[in-house]
C-alpha cells in the first residue's frame, strides 16, 4: 500500500502533494504491524522513490 502512494506521488505529484509519505507509511504500518516502522524500513531499504529522483 505504501508503494501505491509512492507511485501516486511520482505520476500525479499535484494530486498527491498533500500526502506526507512518512506519515502515511507509519499510519499504514501501524495498522498492519502495530507500530510505526517507516524509519526502520528507510534505514534498511532506502527512501521509497529515491531511485527515480523522488
Amino acid at each position: 500500500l505504501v508503494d501505491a502512494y509512492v507511485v501516486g506521488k511520482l505520476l500525479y505529484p499535484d494530486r498527491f502533494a498533500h500526502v506526507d509519505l512518512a506519515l502515511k507509511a507509519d499510519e499504514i504500518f501501524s495498522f498492519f504491524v502495530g507500530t510505526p516502522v517507516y524509519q526502520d524500513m528507510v534505514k534498511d531499504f532506502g527512501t521509497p522513490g529515491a531511485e527515480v529522483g523522488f
Side-chain angles (χ1 to χ4, degrees), residues 18-39:
H18 66 284
V19 176
D20 181 326
L21 192 56
L23 292 176
K24 182 55 77 175
D26 273 339
E27 178 183 336
I28 293 168
F29 289 135
S30 293
F31 179 81
F32 283 103
V33 297
T35 187
V37 294
Y38 178 75
Q39 291 304 320

Side-chain angles (χ1 to χ4, degrees), residues 3-27:
D3 288 339
Y5 280 96
V6 171
V7 171
K9 287 185 76 69
L10 289 170
L11 295 178
Y12 304 103
D14 54 324
R15 294 182 185 175
F16 285 81
H18 66 284
V19 176
D20 181 326
L21 192 56
L23 292 176
K24 182 55 77 175
D26 273 339
E27 178 183 336

